[in-house]
Amino acid sequence: MTELNAAMVERYRSNFLKEVEANVEEGEWVKMCMQCGVCAGSCPLGNAWEHTPQKIFMMVRAGEREAVLNSDAMWMCTSCYNCIARCPRGLPITHIMHGLAHYAKRMGLAPKEQPTAKFAQLFWDNLVKKGRVNELKLGISLYFMNGFSEGIKTSLKMKDIGLGMLKTKRMSPMEMLGGHGVKDSAGFQKMLKKAQELEDKRISGSTD
Amino acid sequence: MTEIVATNETILVVGGGISGMTAALEAAETGKQVILVEKRAYVGGRISQLYKYFPKLCFPTCGLEINQRRSKMNPNLTILTMAEVTDISGEAGAYTASIKISPRYVNENCTGCGDCAKAVELEVSDDFNYGMNTHKAAYLPHKMAHPQRYVLDPAIIGTDDAEKAKAACKYNAVDLDMQEENIELKAGAVVWATGWQPYDANKIQPYGYDRMANVITNVEFERMMDPTGPTGGKLLRPSDGKEAKDVAFIQCAGSRDKNHLLHCSRICCMASLKQSTYVTEAWGDDASSTIYYIDIRAIDRFEDFYKKVQADENVKFIKSKVASIVENKENGNPTLHGVDTEGYHRYATEHELVVLAVGMQPSVDKDAFPIDITINEEGFIEPSSENGGVFAAGSASDALDVNRAVQHATGAALRAVQVVNRVARAEG
Ligand SMILES: Cc1cc2nc3c(=O)[nH]c(=O)nc-3n(C[C@H](O)[C@H](O)[C@H](O)COP(=O)(O)OP(=O)(O)OC[C@H]3O[C@@H](n4cnc5c(N)ncnc54)[C@H](O)[C@@H]3O)c2cc1C
Ligand code: SF4
Ligand code: SF4
């Protein structure tokens, strides 16, 4: 268990709903759910999930902390916004799902081998280097996400698309040598550091 | 010209549904002069379009008949039909109302024989049956209509059909020269009883009311059961006229929803429970009703009714707000998609007919009231001292069943009587 996770368990004891309300983006909405089921039935990926949003919200209220934060459900959300559009109570469901995913990650409880979680990490690592997403490197790291040999296989499969993109100038091979970035790189890194500090202060076991 | 005597001691009732009728009769029976203004060609309002009443499952026509007899016997009550209030000015004890009376083209000589209807050829949409069928452009709005007098649809005025209607009438009742009239009336107090309208099901996009013939509304379902209704009292589905034995009801269709009506319409749970008894009444043990609900709100003593329906083996309950409906193109069955809250099971279930339990919305638009009055977020009239001598009655004030609407209307009548009593004392 990470230190932060241990601190949170200690602080909120069995009241997971309170923990979610205080720390998860849009978490204060969870109690407004009336369990009608419209979001669950409206999700285009619904049958591919372990738990639907409706069920996740009930689990939060039932204090099923581990089961929620370990779940892959939040990571499956594609942000189609069907549920938000239909929820009769106006819950920002998509945002809560992402908020929960983020919080699970902070607590070190996100599922390790979940592909979208892995990709999110790749995306982040790529972005923070230069302040711009390097699509060539991101694409390649995505292909090699599950090991070297599978990476080669995927690269070969995608070869024609890649060449097409090069031809139409949708991708530049020069990106491989560093690539473009924001002008004020030092400023960008400072900003990230500050944001991290603020975030750590917000979610931390030691304050208030 | 319509000759009406009205003074500051007169009570004006706007809307002649069960609430307006009740308020008008209660006030008139205390000896007050009452004028009832009704937009439709007949009084009774929406209850006249119901097949049976919950919880007793008696026919609304019975109560209507009693009210009609009371009103015929009472000389203090004047009823204006096809009339609308367009403006009200003044204050408690001294109002002036402007009223527009549309031409009926049929006068008091009408005996209700129906010869004009036989003569006319044009068919127009039958509003009484929510447009599920058409009727002749000379028509009696419904069998029990009060007054029992035919109406000519304005569409035939100036055509041969109008002349045919006139020629067919043996009683000289068809009067093609009738014009719209605008009159002014005085009143000391106003009872506002304009009632409700069903929420527009077309706005609930995922339920496809506009796309699927076999998705209908609860008000239409009531009309189907009426022996004189569009299907002759049979539960037949609109797409192919097949007997509808497997019927699904979807609760809160447009109610308790921030995208539609915010409020719980209160009566639609009971209406669907009642309508499930229609399905059983029609098909016996071949009947199958499935009620999809968030929670069943059978308030107060209605709980007993709920229990009785639960005991019917032909009625199933599924705790789930249906997410969407897709049509099975092969057999016309609507397929309901959703997740069952009790166990979180995903379903895709076909039914022969789907009834949307649409809610009650105020019939008068928030911004269309002819007088300044306190209106809440949902468009219902709130009690307030700022309303002066204007009192809401029945479902213009909230989503109410008949019993509660009538109680509320009686209270409104009492308040109106108090105002005109004050006027009478002041005038000595
Ligand atoms: C599907 C369904 C089933 C129902 N079944 C039952 C049941 O079984 N038992 C029960 O107790 N309740 C039932 N209800 C509720 C019942 O219909 C209402 O309680 C009742 O109609 C309320 O009567 P009202 O007079 O307040 O309104 P309304 O019946 O709407 O009457 C209002 C009248 O005012 C008139 N009007 C409107 N605007 C104007 C204007 N500007 N000027 C003049 N006149 C105007 C209208 O034409 C109408 O005649 C049901 C409702 C639904 C939706
Ligand atoms: S649609 Fe909204 S109210 Fe209904 S279960 Fe989902 S989150 Fe809850
Ligand atoms: S009465 Fe029932 S169906 Fe109607 S809005 Fe309320 S809960 Fe929904």
Side-chain angles (χ1 to χ4, degrees):
Chain A
M1 204 187 257
T2 66
E3 221 174 275
L4 182 59
N5 186 30
M8 288 310 215
V9 169
E10 173 59 24
R11 179 160 19 144
Y12 291 99
R13 303 277 168 165
S14 56
N15 201 334
F16 185 40
L17 176 62
K18 263 214 175 111
E19 179 178 349
V20 167
E21 284 175 346
N23 301 295
V24 172
E25 190 184 341
E26 307 279 13
E28 66 279 9
W29 278 95
V30 172
K31 63 174 172 293
M32 294 300 291
C33 168
M34 64 171 163
Q35 289 293 299
C36 72
V38 156
C39 55
S42 302
C43 177
L45 283 180
N47 45 11
W49 295 30
E50 193 184 1
H51 313 298
T52 62
Q54 173 194 25
K55 195 170 165 197
I56 285 275
F57 300 155
M58 200 61 203
M59 288 165 75
V60 169
R61 294 185 332 203
E64 302 211 15
R65 188 176 189 276
E66 295 287 299
V68 169
L69 297 178
N70 283 327
S71 165
D72 78 336
M74 304 82 84
W75 298 94
M76 296 295 284
C77 170
T78 58
S79 307
C80 76
Y81 283 77
N82 246 356
C83 55
I84 292 200
R86 289 184 187 167
C87 172
R89 283 288 176 95
L91 270 76
I93 304 167
T94 314
H95 306 161
I96 307 172
M97 296 311 272
H98 293 318
L100 280 168
H102 177 243
Y103 189 67
K105 169 93 180 152
R106 286 300 308 264
M107 295 298 115
L109 294 174
K112 296 286 173 301
E113 289 307 313
Q114 213 290 330
T116 44
K118 268 169 133 180
F119 177 69
Q121 188 65 53
L122 289 176
F123 185 91
W124 176 254
D125 294 343
N126 182 298
L127 175 69
V128 294
K129 281 205 186 92
K130 299 208 148 202
R132 292 273 187 267
V133 172
N134 187 316
E135 286 187 354
L136 188 58
K137 286 187 182 169
L138 182 65
I140 288 171
S141 53
L142 180 61
Y143 297 166
F144 288 88
M145 187 168 83
N146 298 319
F148 186 74
S149 66
E150 202 177 308
I152 297 288
K153 261 191 251 155
T154 318
S155 307
L156 286 173
K157 210 167 63 196
M158 301 299 285
K159 188 183 75 201
D160 290 347
I161 293 179
L163 286 173
M165 283 175 82
L166 287 179
K167 232 195 265 162
T168 51
K169 299 211 165 66
R170 300 300 301 269
M171 196 165 68
S172 158
M174 300 309 281
E175 289 285 298
M176 218 48 217
L177 322 162
H180 69 302
V182 291
K183 277 191 196 125
D184 180 9
S185 181
F188 174 65
Q189 293 303 334
K190 231 169 107 186
M191 193 180 78
L192 281 180
K193 207 168 146 243
K194 184 72 192 170
Q196 185 73 53
E197 272 169 33
L198 290 173
E199 181 69 2
D200 287 346
K201 213 166 135 193
R202 197 175 66 83
I203 303 180
S204 86
S206 56
T207 52
D208 70 54
Chain B
M1 260 323 258
T2 309
E3 287 299 335
I4 297 153
V5 184
T7 69
N8 284 344
E9 289 178 40
T10 300
I11 294 170
L12 173 67
V13 178
V14 187
I18 192 69
S19 306
M21 288 268 276
T22 301
L25 284 166
E26 295 292 344
E29 285 171 5
T30 68
K32 302 299 168 198
Q33 291 297 322
V34 179
I35 296 170
L36 175 69
V37 174
E38 168 55 54
K39 191 166 75 171
R40 301 183 183 195
Y42 58 93
V43 292
R46 298 209 181 256
I47 58 149
S48 52
Q49 292 162 285
L50 301 178
Y51 171 57
K52 281 184 187 174
Y53 268 161
F54 61 72
K56 286 197 199 153
L57 298 181
C58 50
F59 297 98
T61 37
C62 162
L64 268 176
E65 208 179 330
I66 295 170
N67 277 342
Q68 286 163 9
R69 189 144 15 93
R70 276 168 82 190
S71 71
K72 275 185 205 154
M73 277 163 39
N74 198 310
N76 297 330
L77 174 60
T78 306
I79 297 177
L80 299 177
T81 49
M82 302 187 72
E84 265 180 276
V85 173
T86 52
D87 187 45
I88 300 180
S89 58
E91 53 182 19
Y95 287 112
T96 305
S98 308
I99 292 160
K100 184 182 92 180
I101 308 176
S102 302
R104 185 182 193 108
Y105 303 110
V106 177
N107 63 29
E108 297 82 14
N109 293 345
C110 176
T111 63
C113 72
D115 283 348
C116 55
K118 282 182 210 131
V120 163
E121 272 162 41
L122 184 72
E123 295 262 338
V124 292
S125 170
D126 187 345
D127 291 343
F128 189 74
N129 291 332
Y130 294 98
M132 295 167 89
N133 61 329
T134 59
H135 60 194
K136 288 287 184 71
Y139 63 98
L140 191 64
H142 68 103
K143 236 182 156 183
M144 285 282 296
H146 176 75
Q148 275 279 316
R149 210 195 295 170
Y150 274 65
V151 187
L152 296 198
D153 192 286
I156 61 167
I157 301 307
T159 71
D160 279 355
D161 259 351
E163 297 303 332
K164 281 184 202 158
K166 190 174 162 66
C169 181
K170 294 192 282 283
Y171 305 96
N172 220 355
V174 174
D175 175 357
L176 300 176
D177 297 325
M178 268 191 196
Q179 299 291 329
E180 178 183 301
E181 283 183 68
N182 286 286
I183 59 172
E184 281 196 350
L185 290 178
K186 282 178 180 268
V190 179
V191 173
W192 198 270
T194 48
W196 61 281
Q197 58 185 345
Y199 184 71
D200 179 6
N202 282 322
K203 291 185 182 161
I204 317 169
Q205 193 275 338
Y207 291 167
Y209 174 76
D210 55 344
R211 303 186 295 276
M212 287 171 255
N214 297 327
V215 176
I216 65 167
T217 64
N218 51 3
V219 289
E220 291 167 340
F221 197 69
E222 292 284 338
R223 299 307 310 132
M224 275 195 187
M225 283 302 282
D226 185 337
T228 67
T231 55
K234 291 215 172 69
L235 297 183
L236 306 177
R237 43 183 225 171
S239 72
D240 50 12
K242 196 180 137 198
E243 294 177 339
K245 295 185 175 170
D246 173 4
V247 182
F249 297 89
I250 300 188
Q251 298 312 110
C252 304
S255 297
R256 301 172 66 188
D257 193 328
K258 86 162 224 317
N259 298 313
H260 304 285
L261 301 175
L262 277 176
H263 60 272
C264 163
S265 293
R266 268 204 210 111
I267 52 85
C268 15
C269 277
M270 279 301 289
S272 292
L273 291 172
K274 172 184 73 173
Q275 291 179 344
S276 77
T277 72
Y278 297 175
V279 184
T280 303
E281 176 185 322
W283 311 118
D285 274 346
D286 287 342
S288 164
S289 298
T290 312
I291 302 181
Y292 294 84
Y293 68 101
I294 303 175
D295 38 60
I296 295 288
R297 295 189 168 173
I299 49 181
D300 293 348
R301 283 184 300 170
F302 291 155
E303 182 79 20
D304 295 342
F305 192 91
Y306 179 26
K307 291 245 168 71
K308 248 186 250 156
V309 175
Q310 276 180 313
D312 181 348
E313 283 175 4
N314 303 315
V315 184
K316 282 195 290 288
F317 290 85
I318 295 182
K319 186 170 171 63
S320 166
K321 184 171 169 74
V322 172
S324 62
I325 306 177
V326 180
E327 187 169 54
N328 178 342
K329 295 273 185 241
E330 267 160 41
N331 56 14
N333 283 353
T335 307
L336 275 49
H337 291 268
V339 170
D340 181 352
T341 299
E342 289 171 327
Y344 301 110
H345 308 295
R346 193 165 293 275
Y347 59 81
T349 312
E350 276 186 31
H351 296 278
E352 288 167 348
L353 183 70
V354 173
V355 178
L356 303 180
V358 295
M360 291 163 87
Q361 181 177 11
S363 76
V364 177
D365 189 70
K366 260 184 198 182
D367 308 312
F369 281 92
I371 186 166
D372 234 358
I373 200 167
T374 314
I375 299 181
N376 66 22
E377 203 181 350
E378 282 102 31
F380 293 111
I381 302 172
E382 287 279 314
S384 159
S385 55
E386 281 161 33
N387 295 349
V390 181
F391 307 101
S395 57
S397 75
D398 211 340
L400 300 176
D401 57 65
V402 172
N403 186 23
R404 286 173 177 80
V406 165
Q407 283 178 23
H408 190 259
T410 308
L414 182 60
R415 286 176 187 276
V417 166
Q418 287 169 343
V419 173
V420 295
N421 275 350
R422 273 203 296 279
V423 175
R425 276 200 300 277
E427 288 178 347

